[in-house]
Amino acid sequence: MGAAPLFGWGRSFLGGRREAAEPRPPSAPPPWRGRDTMEEYHRHCDEVGFNADEAHNIVKECIDGILGGEDYNQNNINQWTASIVEQSLTHLVKLGKPYKYVVTCALVQRSAYGFHTASSCFWDTTSDGTCTVRWENRTMNCIVNVFAIAIVL
């Protein structure tokens, strides 16, 4: 019937889709380290909207590289989760797209009780986005969420 809403709530339930809602207030760009500026990142982006498939592939490769072949070990959890979020964030930023990224990682020992997670976002559905990567082996479950908020200059 009408056009899709410009602003909305984004919800992720283990990779679910976004749902519409109301606008979010503008935010100031974060300080950047090194020589790169926000304008340089903005100039490199010709796409409109977040590419969840591209982000999913990046995160999955990071998880596979860190957890592939490993069994759950409580002593390694802090190192593994930190490595997953840091490597994922580094590779996402290297894409040179005008986004602020938030990456979260939950890693739990596999059990008969299961593992459930959900998230919700209030943002511009035409440019912002999220992706959830679910990874598991016989001893552990890993859920990584990527939230990408477009930088408007």
Side-chain angles (χ1 to χ4, degrees):
M1 275 199 194
L6 177 61
F7 295 97
W9 288 96
R11 290 191 176 151
S12 173
F13 299 95
L14 291 177
R17 293 288 178 205
R18 299 177 296 203
E19 298 174 13
E22 299 298 320
R24 67 174 167 85
S27 59
W32 286 90
R33 298 179 203 127
R35 303 184 325 245
D36 298 324
T37 65
M38 297 307 266
E39 289 79 17
E40 290 171 356
Y41 279 99
H42 187 66
R43 267 187 253 127
H44 293 301
C45 182
D46 295 327
E47 293 180 31
V48 175
F50 174 66
N51 187 336
D53 292 333
E54 184 176 40
H56 186 279
N57 293 337
I58 287 170
V59 171
K60 180 136 179 20
E61 286 181 23
C62 291
I63 297 170
D64 286 338
I66 294 164
L67 298 180
E70 299 286 346
D71 286 331
Y72 181 85
N73 182 336
Q74 183 175 350
N75 297 327
N76 295 336
I77 296 299
N78 288 341
Q79 178 186 351
W80 286 338
T81 55
S83 294
I84 289 168
V85 298
E86 288 170 10
Q87 284 186 26
S88 297
L89 186 60
T90 297
H91 290 294
L92 289 165
V93 169
K94 283 182 182 178
L95 294 174
K97 297 185 179 179
Y99 286 101
K100 297 179 200 177
Y101 295 103
V102 176
V103 180
T104 67
C105 179
L107 186 57
V108 296
Q109 186 172 16
R110 195 157 184 187
S111 71
Y113 302 109
F115 176 51
H116 303 273
T117 183
S119 62
S120 181
C121 303
F122 184 67
W123 56 22
D124 184 340
T125 59
T126 61
S127 59
D128 304 335
T130 184
C131 87
T132 301
V133 179
R134 178 181 172 201
W135 183 97
E136 62 184 52
N137 67 12
R138 63 182 183 79
T139 63
M140 58 185 149
N141 293 314
C142 179
I143 303 291
V144 176
N145 286 304
V146 174
F147 302 95
I149 299 93
I151 298 167
V152 181
L153 299 175

